[in-house]
Amino acid sequence: MDGFELICPAGTPAALRTAVDAGADAVYLGFRDETNARNFPGLNFTRADVAEAVAYAHARKVQVFVAINTYPQAGGLGPWQRAVDDAARLKVDAVILADLGLLDYAARRHPDLRLHLSVQASAANVDAIRLYREAFGVRRVVLPRVLTVPEIARLNAQVDVETEVFVFGGLCPMAEGRCSLSSYATGLSPNKQGVCSPASHVRYEPRGAALASTLGDFTINVFAEGEPAGYPTLCKGRFVARDTPAYLFEEPTSLNAMDLLPELKAAGVRALKIEGRQRGKAYIGAVVRAYREALDAFAAGRPVPRPDLQAMVEGGTQTTGAYKRAWR
């Protein structure tokens, strides 16, 4: 295997150009509708935007992947099937899918279209990955962020499919139960409409000297005077249990696996993914350049630089997440 592929986010055409110019090997994006899991106002791409993005990226030998990674709603398959058809028509390099029916549709209607399995599908064992490969011709699986490096190595030793892992950004669990809680709180689903903690349902309200953040009718966090007030994403909320406020699901912290490049390489990982389609150009440029420099140094056998990315991480805290599973 050659060096890692660096897969970078783009929530807007400007972010895409920034990622390409900063050294991405591939950029992933979504259409401006509920077919992708980052369906927020001001983000994502029209069909015309994607055509321009493909032209810009391909002229610089960079690939474009389209994430069609939410789950179609019963009786309303049209938007998802059109998204697959349009992605194929626009000559993107791969589509990232999660739903079984949509994978079947893409495989039958567009046999030459490269299929990647979304992290939303939560394929984390050999049998599941083999099924997607044999049934639909999936070429790459984006592994869920719950596996250790040794577990990834064991998977790669037994499957004939490329694997892609997240190395930087938010630790979003997506298809696990926390998204169901967000759906319950707002009536809008991250897994269907692509809307996690929608801004229309977010409120900040003073409570004495404190500031409360709410999502729908639920208090997600209460911040002391002078404490930075984060966005009320339910899975990163601070709740009272046994009379003690704590982060019950996960803390607001960011993944940074740059120190694990040798281990991920030895484990057979093909591609490294940066999270952040909802982030701006400053984040995209800084993180992509840092990882490009690190991967080039690693491939050349030089010492890997350790850039300061503290300003780009959530909650001011970095972690290697489940790769090391340090909490066990």
Side-chain angles (χ1 to χ4, degrees), residues 166-171 250-260 291 310 313-314 316-327:
F166 284 90
V167 290
F168 193 91
L171 285 164
E250 60 184 278
E251 296 188 12
T253 186
S254 283
L255 176 67
N256 188 355
M258 191 175 286
D259 289 340
L260 302 183
Y291 265 86
Q310 190 67 14
V313 301
E314 185 176 4
T317 306
Q318 302 180 48
T319 178
T320 54
Y323 293 131
K324 288 295 188 181
R325 207 167 283 170
W327 62 86

Coordinates of all heavy atoms in Angstrom, one line a residue, residues 166-171 250-260 291 310 313-314 316-327:
F166 N -11.5 8.1 11.0 CA -11.4 9.5 11.4 C -10.1 9.7 12.2 O -9.8 8.9 13.1 CB -12.6 9.9 12.2 CG -13.8 10.1 11.4 CD1 -14.7 9.1 11.1 CD2 -14.1 11.4 10.9 CE1 -15.9 9.3 10.4 CE2 -15.3 11.6 10.1 CZ -16.1 10.5 9.9
V167 N -9.5 10.8 12.0 CA -8.3 11.2 12.7 C -8.3 12.5 13.4 O -7.5 12.8 14.3 CB -7.0 11.1 11.9 CG1 -6.7 9.7 11.5 CG2 -7.1 12.0 10.6
F168 N -9.3 13.4 13.0 CA -9.4 14.7 13.6 C -10.8 15.2 13.6 O -11.5 15.0 12.6 CB -8.5 15.7 12.9 CG -8.3 17.0 13.7 CD1 -7.2 17.1 14.5 CD2 -9.1 18.1 13.5 CE1 -7.0 18.3 15.3 CE2 -9.0 19.2 14.3 CZ -7.9 19.3 15.2
G169 N -11.2 15.9 14.7 CA -12.5 16.6 14.7 C -13.4 16.0 15.7 O -13.0 15.3 16.6
G170 N -14.7 16.3 15.5 CA -15.7 15.9 16.5 C -15.9 14.4 16.6 O -15.7 13.7 15.6
L171 N -16.2 14.0 17.8 CA -16.4 12.5 18.1 C -17.9 12.2 18.0 O -18.5 11.9 19.0 CB -15.8 12.2 19.4 CG -14.3 12.1 19.5 CD1 -13.8 12.1 20.9 CD2 -13.8 10.8 18.8
E250 N -20.7 11.9 26.5 CA -19.3 12.2 26.1 C -19.0 13.7 26.3 O -19.9 14.5 26.4 CB -19.0 11.9 24.6 CG -19.9 12.6 23.6 CD -19.7 12.2 22.2 OE1 -18.7 12.7 21.6 OE2 -20.4 11.4 21.7
E251 N -17.7 14.0 26.6 CA -17.3 15.3 26.9 C -17.1 16.1 25.6 O -16.8 15.5 24.5 CB -16.0 15.3 27.7 CG -16.2 14.7 29.1 CD -15.0 14.8 30.0 OE1 -14.1 15.6 29.6 OE2 -14.9 14.2 31.0
P252 N -17.2 17.4 25.6 CA -16.9 18.2 24.4 C -15.4 18.3 24.2 O -14.7 19.1 24.7 CB -17.5 19.6 24.8 CG -17.5 19.7 26.2 CD -17.7 18.3 26.7
T253 N -14.9 17.3 23.4 CA -13.5 17.2 23.1 C -13.3 16.8 21.7 O -14.3 16.2 21.1 CB -12.9 16.2 24.1 OG1 -11.5 16.2 24.0 CG2 -13.4 14.8 23.9
S254 N -12.1 16.9 21.1 CA -11.9 16.6 19.7 C -10.9 15.5 19.6 O -9.9 15.4 20.3 CB -11.4 17.9 19.0 OG -12.5 18.8 18.7
L255 N -11.1 14.7 18.6 CA -10.2 13.6 18.2 C -9.0 14.2 17.5 O -9.1 15.1 16.7 CB -10.9 12.7 17.3 CG -10.0 11.5 16.7 CD1 -9.6 10.6 17.8 CD2 -10.8 10.8 15.6
N256 N -7.8 13.8 17.9 CA -6.6 14.1 17.1 C -5.7 12.9 17.2 O -5.1 12.6 18.3 CB -5.9 15.3 17.7 CG -4.7 15.8 16.8 OD1 -4.4 15.1 15.8 ND2 -4.1 16.9 17.1
A257 N -5.6 12.1 16.2 CA -4.8 10.9 16.1 C -3.5 11.0 15.4 O -3.0 10.0 14.9 CB -5.7 9.8 15.5
M258 N -2.9 12.2 15.3 CA -1.7 12.4 14.5 C -0.6 11.5 15.1 O 0.3 11.1 14.4 CB -1.3 13.9 14.5 CG -0.2 14.2 13.5 SD 0.2 15.9 13.4 CE -1.2 16.5 12.4
D259 N -0.5 11.3 16.4 CA 0.5 10.6 17.0 C 0.4 9.1 16.7 O 1.4 8.3 17.0 CB 0.5 10.7 18.5 CG 1.0 12.1 19.0 OD1 1.6 12.8 18.2 OD2 0.7 12.5 20.1
L260 N -0.7 8.6 16.1 CA -0.9 7.2 15.9 C -0.6 6.8 14.4 O -1.0 5.7 14.0 CB -2.3 6.9 16.2 CG -2.8 7.1 17.7 CD1 -4.2 6.7 17.9 CD2 -1.8 6.5 18.7
Y291 N -2.1 18.2 8.6 CA -2.1 16.8 8.3 C -1.3 16.5 7.0 O -0.7 15.4 6.9 CB -3.5 16.2 8.3 CG -3.9 15.6 9.7 CD1 -4.4 16.4 10.7 CD2 -3.6 14.3 10.0 CE1 -4.7 15.9 11.9 CE2 -3.9 13.7 11.2 CZ -4.4 14.5 12.2 OH -4.7 14.0 13.4
Q310 N -4.5 23.5 18.9 CA -5.3 23.6 20.0 C -6.5 24.6 19.8 O -7.6 24.4 20.3 CB -4.5 24.2 21.2 CG -5.2 24.2 22.6 CD -5.5 22.8 23.1 OE1 -5.0 21.8 22.6 NE2 -6.4 22.7 24.0
V313 N -9.7 22.7 18.2 CA -10.4 21.6 18.9 C -11.5 22.0 19.7 O -11.5 23.1 20.3 CB -9.4 20.7 19.7 CG1 -8.2 20.2 18.8 CG2 -8.8 21.5 20.9
E314 N -12.5 21.2 19.8 CA -13.7 21.5 20.6 C -13.4 21.4 22.1 O -12.7 20.4 22.6 CB -14.8 20.5 20.2 CG -16.1 20.8 20.9 CD -17.2 19.8 20.4 OE1 -16.9 18.9 19.6 OE2 -18.4 20.0 20.8
G316 N -11.4 22.8 23.8 CA -10.0 23.0 24.2 C -9.3 21.7 24.6 O -8.2 21.8 25.2
T317 N -9.8 20.6 24.3 CA -9.3 19.3 24.7 C -9.1 18.3 23.5 O -10.0 18.2 22.7 CB -10.2 18.7 25.8 OG1 -10.4 19.6 26.8 CG2 -9.6 17.4 26.4
Q318 N -8.0 17.6 23.5 CA -7.8 16.6 22.4 C -7.7 15.2 23.0 O -7.3 15.1 24.2 CB -6.5 17.0 21.7 CG -6.5 18.4 21.1 CD -5.2 18.7 20.4 OE1 -4.7 17.9 19.6 NE2 -4.6 19.8 20.7
T319 N -8.1 14.2 22.2 CA -8.1 12.9 22.7 C -7.8 11.9 21.5 O -8.0 12.3 20.4 CB -9.4 12.5 23.3 OG1 -9.4 11.1 23.7 CG2 -10.5 12.6 22.3
T320 N -7.3 10.8 21.8 CA -7.1 9.7 20.8 C -8.3 8.8 20.8 O -8.4 7.8 20.0 CB -5.9 8.9 21.0 OG1 -5.9 8.3 22.4 CG2 -4.6 9.7 20.8
G321 N -9.4 9.1 21.6 CA -10.6 8.4 21.5 C -10.5 7.0 21.8 O -9.7 6.5 22.6
A322 N -11.3 6.2 21.0 CA -11.4 4.7 21.2 C -10.1 4.0 20.7 O -9.9 2.9 21.1 CB -12.6 4.2 20.5
Y323 N -9.3 4.7 19.9 CA -8.1 4.1 19.4 C -7.2 3.5 20.5 O -6.7 2.4 20.4 CB -7.3 5.0 18.5 CG -8.0 5.5 17.2 CD1 -8.1 6.8 16.9 CD2 -8.5 4.5 16.4 CE1 -8.7 7.2 15.7 CE2 -9.2 4.9 15.2 CZ -9.3 6.2 14.9 OH -9.9 6.6 13.7
K324 N -7.1 4.3 21.5 CA -6.3 3.8 22.7 C -7.2 3.3 23.8 O -6.8 2.5 24.7 CB -5.5 5.0 23.3 CG -4.3 5.3 22.4 CD -3.3 4.2 22.3 CE -2.1 4.6 21.6 NZ -1.1 3.5 21.5
R325 N -8.5 3.8 23.8 CA -9.5 3.4 24.8 C -8.9 3.5 26.2 O -8.9 2.6 27.0 CB -10.0 2.0 24.6 CG -11.4 1.7 25.1 CD -12.0 0.5 24.6 NE -12.5 0.6 23.2 CZ -12.9 -0.4 22.4 NH1 -12.9 -1.6 22.8 NH2 -13.3 -0.2 21.2
A326 N -8.4 4.7 26.5 CA -7.6 4.9 27.7 C -8.5 4.9 29.0 O -8.0 4.7 30.1 CB -6.9 6.3 27.7
W327 N -9.9 5.0 28.8 CA -10.7 5.0 30.0 C -11.0 3.6 30.5 O -11.6 3.5 31.5 CB -12.1 5.6 29.6 CG -12.9 4.9 28.5 CD1 -13.7 3.9 28.7 CD2 -12.8 5.2 27.1 NE1 -14.2 3.5 27.5 CE2 -13.7 4.3 26.5 CE3 -12.1 6.1 26.3 CZ2 -13.9 4.2 25.1 CZ3 -12.3 6.1 25.0 CH2 -13.2 5.2 24.4

